[in-house]
Amino acid sequence: PAPPPPPGGHAGDDACPLPSLEDSGWSGTASGGDMVRVADSTGDGWCLQCTYTIGVVAFTRSAFTITATSGGPADHPTRLLQQGVPAHGQVGVGDYVYYSVQLEPAQDVWVTLTATSGDPDMYSSFVSTAPSQEDYQFAARDPAATDELHIFHSEETYCKKDGRERTPCVLVVAVYGFEQADFSIVAVQTPEAPVQLQDGAPQQVAQQGIGEWRYFEYTVGALPPAEALRLKAGKNCKSHDKYLGHFDDLAACASACEWEEDCAFFEYGTGDKVGECYAEWTASDCKEGWEDAPYNFY
């Protein structure tokens, strides 16, 4: 039977109807899993730096996970960076994690990559949607804990593709795992702009000249990320489990476990499984037994 129609539009300056079977810019109606590519060439109403409303309707009783990524092709999902707001992530050896940030063409940009473990490198481009060791315009690959890119707006290739100005001006940054790494990344166009500090997360500055100021903001009373105690590394508990989703960092996986009923233990992927998150229905000593796998047990 056909599912019921969605409720009325949500409040706002202009009433905006929620998507429905009859009224949507993009849709995916395959049986089982599905993917929708939202782009200027695939539907009406595409825009950058705006909010999309996504409706999921059940034709049968369902359980599902939903993930949104943006900025790159399907095989290179790209996460958006907001200037001054650090993003945290993990990358496996030889793997890439992609970020994009929208820039003002008349200003320099600083991108700082801080490693909390391992050795990540940065490769960036205004042209490629998936920069790499072989295809990049700017790179930072210092073995130190912090890499910093300072790209001058006077650069001949700044905000240009095929010799033409890019509108909007978007820089894509690839974080490469020279070693398996945990990291934070932040982009700013004015060094005086405050960088938001997150509770307990280090934010390093690669270079600061004599007399220069760098500014930071910290919100007292902000909820800290969910904490997790690692009980086993490089092992999978052979217990009954449930897939919770793919998350950029451990804290998000821990939060997903907190929201899952009766979830006391979970596993978070590393290496080629980085970001994969599973709830584990077991005890802390995993009486079901362990097996070698690219997961850490929390």
Side-chain angles (χ1 to χ4, degrees), residues 111-113 120-124 138-140 147-149 173-175 185:
V111 185
T112 303
L113 178 68
D121 297 328
M122 274 193 297
Y123 298 90
S124 66
F138 311 94
D147 285 344
E148 186 172 72
L149 280 174
V173 181
V175 178
I185 183 171

Side-chain angles (χ1 to χ4, degrees), residues 64-133:
F64 64 90
T65 61
I66 182 170
T67 303
T69 60
S70 61
D75 56 341
H76 297 294
T78 306
R79 300 158 177 84
L80 289 177
L81 279 180
Q82 181 181 346
Q83 289 197 36
V85 180
H88 298 268
Q90 291 184 327
V91 63
V93 178
D95 292 338
Y96 293 91
V97 178
Y98 297 94
Y99 296 89
S100 65
V101 58
Q102 186 170 342
L103 305 177
E104 292 293 333
Q107 293 180 323
D108 296 3
V109 62
W110 288 260
V111 185
T112 303
L113 178 68
T114 302
T116 52
S117 68
D119 183 11
D121 297 328
M122 274 193 297
Y123 298 90
S124 66
S125 176
F126 289 105
V127 178
S128 174
T129 58
S132 66
Q133 289 181 303

Side-chain angles (χ1 to χ4, degrees), residues 29-35:
T29 56
S31 177
D34 208 347
M35 182 178 73

Side-chain angles (χ1 to χ4, degrees), residues 10 32-33 39 54 103 110 115 138 141 156 192 202 206-207 225 252 268 289:
H10 53 77
I54 303 165
L103 305 177
W110 288 260
F138 311 94
R141 42 198 171 193
E156 186 176 348
E192 298 83 10
Q207 295 182 5
Y268 189 68

Side-chain angles (χ1 to χ4, degrees), residues 213-238:
W213 287 78
R214 294 289 182 95
Y215 297 94
F216 303 87
E217 290 181 344
Y218 176 68
T219 303
V220 177
L223 292 175
E227 296 182 357
L229 175 64
R230 190 173 72 181
L231 301 175
K232 207 79 171 177
K235 299 288 184 181
N236 171 53
C237 178
K238 295 188 286 187

